[in-house]
Amino acid sequence: MKDILTAPFLIELVRTLTNMYAHGWDERNGGNVSVLLEEAELADFLDLNAVIRTIPTGFAAPELEGKYFLVTGTGKYFKNAQYDPAANLGVVRLTDQGAQAQLLWGFTDGGKFTSEFPAHMMSHVARWKVDPENRVVMHCHPANLLAMTYVHDLDEVKFTRTLWQMCTECIVVFPEGVNVLPWMLCGTNEIGEATAQKMESARLVVWAQHGIYGAGKDLDETFGLIETAEKAAEIWLKIAHLPLVNTISDEAMHLLEARFGVKAREGYLR
Ligand code: 2HA
Ligand code: ZN
């Protein structure tokens, strides 16, 4: 059996969490990440019959049966993951259609997965319907996107168009736009279901006055999505109070669509 601390999936997650913390997106215990793992990639590192303990999840979905996830722990600080991965992270296998999580590694101080586990698992299920390759769900609290939700209309078309207009790359990186949820109580199945529903039409879901969810095929793609939206929000906050002289026109957006082979969300461009 190889040492799991040398597993590429673990090293990549720890590097990503460290980077997210460095970006200021994950103060204290803010944020959470889950990564779908294949049984074959885990089998080199763990005895998959050795269940440490079983933790109830409080939700179920048939698509989750037998799935493995590497996930951040509740109350854990991203900044500490690199120093003690085994206390801050865990590997679980979902059984009983997701109602039970069998801990196979990690959460060594008796902890468990993030309080946002429902939103993560329901978002994975939602993304698989539109993208069977989706493996990552990421949540964090980037300051500029968060600030924007206090002063910008939360209408999804308006919010998306503003972000697209802030950097040329935005429409290329997230042509489906960003979906937005109003403020809701976090950590509940309700916000999990609402997030998952929004995830069916976009990989980015803003939680007003809280943060953002991203989903993608891998950690780089998902990090990059959030990074790009956050950069656009930063630019918007720099210019929103100034007289607007220039912008990226819808005509220019159509040129970007053609040049980069992307299609903007239906009805979002004129
Ligand atoms: O505690 O970000 O939404 C981690 C969170 C909750
Ligand atoms: Zn949060």
Side-chain angles (χ1 to χ4, degrees):
M1 206 59 70
K2 294 193 218 162
D3 179 1
I4 194 167
L5 296 180
T6 67
F9 55 78
L10 194 73
I11 291 171
E12 200 194 348
L13 178 60
V14 169
R15 283 183 184 159
T16 302
L17 297 174
T18 304
N19 201 11
M20 291 174 78
Y21 176 73
H23 275 64
W25 299 350
D26 300 279
E27 75 292 340
R28 200 173 181 273
N29 63 319
N32 22 77
V33 180
S34 58
V35 184
L36 177 73
L37 298 175
E38 297 299 326
E39 187 167 292
E41 70 183 327
L42 262 178
D44 287 346
F45 301 99
L46 292 177
D47 173 359
L48 300 179
N49 295 316
V51 175
I52 299 165
R53 51 197 159 92
T54 299
I55 311 166
T57 67
F59 58 83
E63 296 88 342
L64 294 170
E65 180 64 35
K67 293 283 194 291
Y68 294 84
F69 289 94
L70 173 60
V71 59
T72 53
T74 183
K76 299 302 186 207
Y77 293 22
F78 281 18
K79 74 182 177 67
N80 296 337
Q82 61 179 321
Y83 306 112
D84 194 352
N88 291 288
L89 311 174
V91 172
V92 294
R93 174 174 51 216
L94 296 178
T95 61
D96 299 334
Q97 307 206 331
Q100 305 287 338
Q102 297 178 324
L103 181 64
L104 299 173
W105 175 83
F107 303 142
T108 50
D109 59 4
K112 65 175 200 168
F113 39 74
T114 167
S115 60
E116 303 294 0
F117 206 53
H120 278 254
M121 294 301 110
M122 294 175 197
S123 292
H124 280 282
V125 171
R127 288 306 303 167
W128 292 334
K129 290 180 192 157
V130 285
D131 177 11
E133 306 260 276
N134 195 87
R135 291 181 56 234
V136 173
V137 172
M138 180 180 284
H139 167 62
C140 56
H141 306 157
N144 295 292
L145 277 165
L146 226 155
M148 197 171 154
T149 66
Y150 285 88
V151 289
H152 195 286
D153 193 324
L154 296 181
D155 174 78
E156 289 169 348
V157 182
K158 290 182 184 155
F159 203 92
T160 294
R161 286 180 53 82
T162 294
L163 291 177
W164 281 351
Q165 286 164 353
M166 293 305 110
C167 310
T168 295
E169 292 270 285
C170 280
I171 196 169
V172 180
V173 175
F174 50 93
E176 78 270 46
V178 299
N179 287 338
V180 183
L181 281 182
W183 187 91
M184 289 177 74
L185 186 61
C186 53
T188 62
N189 284 355
E190 287 69 33
I191 200 169
E193 283 155 15
T195 306
Q197 201 222 322
K198 294 286 186 191
M199 278 281 177
E200 288 182 21
S201 52
R203 292 164 296 161
L204 288 169
V205 179
V206 169
W207 281 9
Q209 295 87 48
H210 183 136
I212 191 164
Y213 267 75
K217 292 179 182 31
D218 56 37
L219 284 162
D220 261 359
E221 182 196 34
T222 315
F223 184 97
L225 271 171
I226 293 176
E227 187 179 31
T228 307
E230 169 64 359
K231 177 75 167 280
E234 181 180 0
I235 294 163
W236 186 74
L237 289 173
K238 286 184 197 290
I239 65 154
H241 59 292
L242 300 172
L244 191 69
V245 178
N246 304 301
T247 191
I248 305 172
S249 66
D250 282 32
E251 196 180 16
M253 299 278 185
H254 287 302
L255 292 175
L256 288 164
E257 285 183 295
R259 171 70 180 82
F260 291 96
V262 296
K263 187 78 196 80
R265 177 102 159 244
E266 192 63 38
Y268 277 41
L269 291 179
R270 286 185 280 270

